[in-house]
Amino acid sequence: MTEIIKTASEWKQLKKSDAHKEKKIGFVPTMGALHAGHSSLIEKCVKENDLSVVSIFVNPIQFNDPKDLLNYPRTFEKDFRMLEDLKVDFLFYPDYKEIYSDNFKYRVIENELSKILCGEYRPGHFDGVLTVVLKLLNIIRADRAYFGEKDYQQYKLIDGMCRAFFLDVEIIPCPTVREDDGLAMSSRNLLLKSEEREHAVKFSKLLQSNKLPQQIKAELENLGFKVDYIEEIDGRRFGAVHLGKVRLIDNVKI
Ligand code: AMP
């Protein structure tokens, strides 16, 4: 049985109870609409720790586009069944007021990596991500927290924040899980129309090809994608494109 916890104080009581106080805790933060990408992180978390906690919180602060927030898929019943099937011990499911009692007056700002790639095209996005992750890590106080390489820039920023602020948690990166045709799994894939879904695979194929970034960008634009960026940094190729109303990101090791 997965137990739902809605407040930080409830979790604090549980965590210090005799039943739990000595246990190793693993944590997977998510925004819900769970898929096999999420379940790979969750399975690892359940396997490597005595207690597993998954959070579902659609963080409004990290959406720079209000329409994107409004359209973000929400599939709570299905998500909860998945957590039960994966034998997750606790679901942390707070509301906005619980997380933002300060109304976002306090925030975490990073000045380098958060300004490039997605940060350049989504101003304020990573401030929102880092702020909510710091809050969640401070509430859950896990020994290990799991993040997907699908969002590689996010993982690096979170890892850097934890070291900068001496947080006592191990940040564990997990490989990107892909659909059979190679498209990186994402909650936003649910929003693609069927013809867009077929088209989307060309983004992952070109990103994984041995072509140069500017060639990839030009080919994607010819295919009708709106390209935010295709860039290579530190042995990785990163890309972000728009297909209809949906923004897709991906990255591969080169
Ligand atoms: P999200 O719900 O999109 O905020 O994602 C929650 C966590 O799952 C983040 O650490 C993501 O990087 C990770 N994640 C999402 N999609 C994938 C995927 N296809 N493969 C691996 N991890 C993923």
Side-chain angles (χ1 to χ4, degrees):
M1 276 288 283
T2 304
E3 188 175 337
I4 301 180
I5 311 284
K6 299 207 74 147
T7 64
S9 61
E10 252 178 281
W11 172 247
K12 203 168 166 187
Q13 288 307 318
L14 261 170
K15 190 177 178 318
K16 67 180 185 205
S17 67
D18 284 345
H20 299 322
K21 66 180 179 214
E22 303 294 334
K23 297 198 166 155
K24 285 272 176 220
I25 297 173
F27 177 41
V28 182
T30 81
M31 298 205 297
L34 302 180
H35 50 68
H38 296 110
S39 54
S40 74
L41 274 60
I42 296 169
E43 276 167 8
K44 198 167 156 63
C45 172
V46 169
K47 201 163 101 202
E48 294 180 352
N49 299 281
D50 305 319
L51 281 184
S52 51
V53 183
V54 173
S55 63
I56 296 182
F57 180 66
V58 181
N59 176 32
I61 301 308
Q62 74 186 65
F63 286 80
N64 49 313
D65 173 358
K67 274 196 235 116
D68 187 25
L69 172 61
L70 205 67
N71 294 333
Y72 198 81
R74 289 162 172 86
T75 57
F76 183 81
E77 311 295 319
K78 189 166 157 268
D79 293 352
F80 189 69
R81 281 199 299 278
M82 186 194 274
L83 298 181
E84 295 229 287
D85 289 346
L86 293 171
K87 308 214 174 329
V88 169
D89 296 299
F90 297 99
L91 166 62
F92 185 56
Y93 189 51
D95 64 14
Y96 177 85
K97 283 204 304 296
E98 183 66 14
I99 297 296
Y100 289 108
S101 59
D102 65 321
N103 235 330
F104 199 43
K105 280 200 295 260
Y106 293 87
R107 65 188 72 184
V108 180
I109 298 175
E110 192 273 356
N111 275 324
E112 258 180 51
L113 179 56
S114 72
K115 305 298 177 198
I116 62 170
L117 303 172
C118 280
E120 190 182 333
Y121 292 86
R122 302 184 68 189
H125 166 66
F126 286 119
D127 299 355
V129 170
L130 291 175
T131 302
V132 80
V133 171
L134 180 62
K135 286 172 184 257
L136 291 169
L137 290 174
N138 269 334
I139 294 169
I140 304 299
R141 304 275 166 145
D143 298 279
R144 304 189 185 94
Y146 297 78
F147 292 88
E149 290 184 350
K150 150 85 179 14
D151 303 284
Y152 196 82
Q153 186 178 11
Q154 169 177 286
Y155 148 64
K156 289 299 274 185
L157 281 162
I158 289 166
D159 191 48
M161 172 181 76
C162 290
R163 279 185 281 116
F165 292 119
F166 303 95
L167 296 199
D168 202 6
V169 57
E170 191 184 346
I171 299 298
I172 302 186
C174 304
T176 302
V177 177
R178 296 176 180 281
E179 304 282 358
D180 289 341
D181 64 4
L183 179 66
M185 288 195 180
S186 164
S187 305
R188 286 191 176 83
N189 294 353
L190 290 174
L191 303 174
L192 292 168
K193 299 191 186 115
S194 72
E195 64 276 15
E196 289 171 342
R197 171 63 190 84
E198 276 172 39
H199 209 50
V201 67
K202 293 175 190 146
F203 169 48
S204 60
K205 290 246 151 63
L206 276 165
L207 204 68
Q208 291 176 64
S209 71
N210 53 15
K211 297 181 179 174
L212 293 171
Q214 53 274 40
Q215 249 178 307
I216 297 173
K217 183 168 189 279
E219 287 193 33
L220 285 167
E221 283 171 348
N222 279 338
L223 287 164
F225 290 86
K226 179 173 167 286
V227 180
D228 277 353
Y229 61 83
I230 303 290
E231 277 184 51
E232 293 178 354
I233 301 174
D234 291 342
R236 257 177 203 270
R237 183 183 289 151
F238 297 83
V241 297
H242 297 257
L243 191 52
K245 293 195 170 84
V246 183
R247 187 173 187 272
L248 300 173
I249 62 168
D250 198 353
N251 70 90
V252 291
K253 220 167 173 210
I254 43 172

